[in-house]
């Protein structure tokens, strides 16, 4: 019996329900793969905003086939548009993030009720962040990657060995979540416009100006401004410079990681601990 076996046994012996919340991102997917044979009683959940990328839905279908388990989708009736109406058309933002509460946290907490929950979270051993921890006393977080000391290269290996690989949107975007997530970097918005022009148009259609107030996804500019050819050229040029710097700094790194680092070099908010795992 190894120390790792002891850890798994200690999880399995805890009375209550065991849940992995999926976001459609690489870390929570790798966690599901990691847990599959260790704890067969795990329930897999996905809080659907109804505004995810088609690549995300397809990736979750492939994951479900790999797990040979259903992925329970919450929010069947009420997606993003319902809550946007409830909030009077006020778009969510990093400061007023009603979307995460209404579409991720509350549906999860309602679904589990007062049951004792062991909630497995895909924060890696090489990450400083602590992740979202529920304020409900019946929901207890467990961090398997931290307990097993697994970092980014282990996560990539898990994804490769399962045959799932990285989500295909990683070629142009680093995060799971809504198509129009306000945490996106400029380069990711350009990626959305180029890969999914109809979804970019939908995101643009949410933006309005009322009574002198701007309801934009980005503070500094509207999407109509961002999509101007000269602005797109500028964004791409900046991205190329950052990518080259990353390539020189870490020549052995896979391109996909360099693209991520180049996007991360923008000084936006880091993202959402719940939506972007
Ligand atoms: S992905 Fe972004 S927009 Fe969607 S719920 Fe999460 S924080 Fe909000």
């Amino acid at each position: 019996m190894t120390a790792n076996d002891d850890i798994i046994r200690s999880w399995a012996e805890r009375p209550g329900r065991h849940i992995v919340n999926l976001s459609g991102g690489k870390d929570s997917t790798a966690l599901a793969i990691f847990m599959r044979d260790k704890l067969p009683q795990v329930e897999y959940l996905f809080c659907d905003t109804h505004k995810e990328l088609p690549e995300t839905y397809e990736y979750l279908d492939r994951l479900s086939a790999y797990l040979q388990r259903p992925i329970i989708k919450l929010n069947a009736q009420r997606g993003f548009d319902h809550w946007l109406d409830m909030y009077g058309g006020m778009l969510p933002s990093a400061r007023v993030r009603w979307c995460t509460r209404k579409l991720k946290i509350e549906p999860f907490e309602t679904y589990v009720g007062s049951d004792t929950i062991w909630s497995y979270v895909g924060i890696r051993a090489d990450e400083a962040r602590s992740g979202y921890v529920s304020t409900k006393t019946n929901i207890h977080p467990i961090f398997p990657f931290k307990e097993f000391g697994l970092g980014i290269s282990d996560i990539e290996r898990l994804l490769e060995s399962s045959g799932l690989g990285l989500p295909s949107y990683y070629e142009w975007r680093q995060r799971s979540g809504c198509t129009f997530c306000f945490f996106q970097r400029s380069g990711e918005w350009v990626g959305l416009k180029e890969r999914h022009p109809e979804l970019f148009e939908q995101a643009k259609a949410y933006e309005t100006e009322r009574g002198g107030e701007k309801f934009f996804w980005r503070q500094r500019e509207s999407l109509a401004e961002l999509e101007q050819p000269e602005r797109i050229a500028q964004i791409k040029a900046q991205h190329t410079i950052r990518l080259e710097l990353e390539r020189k700094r870490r020549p052995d790194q896979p391109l996909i990681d360099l693209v991520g680092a180049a996007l991360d070099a923008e000084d936006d908010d880091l993202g959402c601990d719940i939506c972007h795992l």
Side-chain angles (χ1 to χ4, degrees):
M1 180 82 62
T2 66
N4 287 348
D5 291 335
D6 285 342
I7 294 174
I8 294 162
R9 205 189 49 219
S10 80
W11 296 338
E13 286 173 354
R14 294 176 195 199
R17 293 164 65 189
H18 300 254
I19 292 182
V20 170
N21 255 310
L22 298 160
S23 72
K26 69 178 187 327
D27 293 332
S28 62
T29 301
L31 181 61
I33 293 165
F34 182 74
M35 298 300 292
R36 183 185 78 163
D37 302 324
K38 297 181 175 61
L39 224 55
Q41 68 267 50
V42 164
E43 297 169 51
Y44 299 95
L45 299 187
F46 174 63
C47 292
D48 189 358
T49 64
H50 300 199
K51 298 292 173 184
E52 314 285 333
L53 289 164
E55 294 95 318
T56 302
Y57 293 117
E58 183 263 345
Y59 194 57
L60 288 170
D61 286 345
R62 287 204 291 130
L63 175 61
S64 178
Y66 174 83
L67 297 171
Q68 297 186 316
R69 295 285 305 279
I71 293 172
I72 298 156
K73 291 194 174 132
L74 304 185
N75 300 336
Q77 306 300 330
R78 294 171 165 184
F80 179 87
D81 289 336
H82 167 83
W83 291 110
L84 183 65
D85 276 351
M86 294 290 112
Y87 279 82
M90 182 185 72
L91 293 180
S93 65
R95 272 190 311 117
V96 187
R97 211 189 321 161
W98 58 255
C99 50
T100 313
R101 172 144 292 283
K102 291 296 174 191
L103 290 158
K104 301 282 176 178
I105 297 172
E106 288 183 3
F108 172 60
E109 292 183 348
T110 302
Y111 176 76
V112 301
S114 56
D115 293 350
T116 297
I117 299 297
W118 302 101
S119 174
Y120 296 79
V121 184
I123 303 280
R124 304 187 310 265
D126 55 5
E127 289 185 289
R129 61 186 174 144
S130 54
Y132 171 75
V133 175
S134 174
T135 51
K136 289 192 75 179
T137 51
N138 58 315
I139 301 177
H140 311 282
I142 296 181
F143 300 94
F145 292 155
K146 284 195 181 290
E147 290 195 45
F148 276 71
L150 302 183
I152 182 71
S153 51
D154 303 298
I155 271 55
E156 288 179 354
R157 232 184 335 269
L158 274 167
L159 293 171
E160 280 312 312
S161 62
S162 71
L164 268 88
L166 287 162
S168 58
Y169 60 74
Y170 266 70
E171 290 163 16
W172 56 278
R173 171 174 162 147
Q174 289 298 297
R175 299 200 182 107
S176 51
C178 301
T179 56
F180 43 60
C181 183
F182 43 84
F183 281 118
Q184 279 176 95
R185 280 63 182 249
S186 317
E188 292 172 311
W189 280 110
V190 172
L192 182 67
K193 182 172 171 57
E194 292 182 342
R195 306 283 177 134
H196 295 289
E198 74 294 349
L199 297 178
F200 186 88
E201 287 304 312
Q202 282 176 22
K204 213 167 69 174
Y206 282 103
E207 296 193 325
T208 54
E209 286 193 65
R210 282 200 307 264
E213 214 179 329
K214 294 176 176 175
F215 295 88
F216 294 166
W217 294 113
R218 297 162 57 79
Q219 295 218 323
R220 64 182 85 151
E221 65 192 344
S222 67
L223 294 184
E225 290 164 326
L226 179 140
E227 71 171 341
Q228 294 307 308
E230 59 278 13
R231 175 69 177 125
I232 288 186
Q234 181 195 37
I235 291 167
K236 285 184 164 179
Q238 286 169 345
H239 183 70
T240 304
I241 292 168
R242 282 196 295 268
L243 190 57
E244 273 315 302
L245 286 173
E246 287 297 330
R247 220 191 284 267
K248 282 188 185 138
R249 203 163 66 84
R250 299 180 301 157
D252 301 330
Q253 209 64 10
L255 180 62
I256 201 146
D257 292 342
L258 297 177
V259 169
L263 284 166
D264 281 341
E266 286 190 33
D267 60 350
D268 293 1
D269 288 290
L270 280 175
C272 170
D273 272 347
I274 300 170
C275 301
H276 303 137
L277 266 182

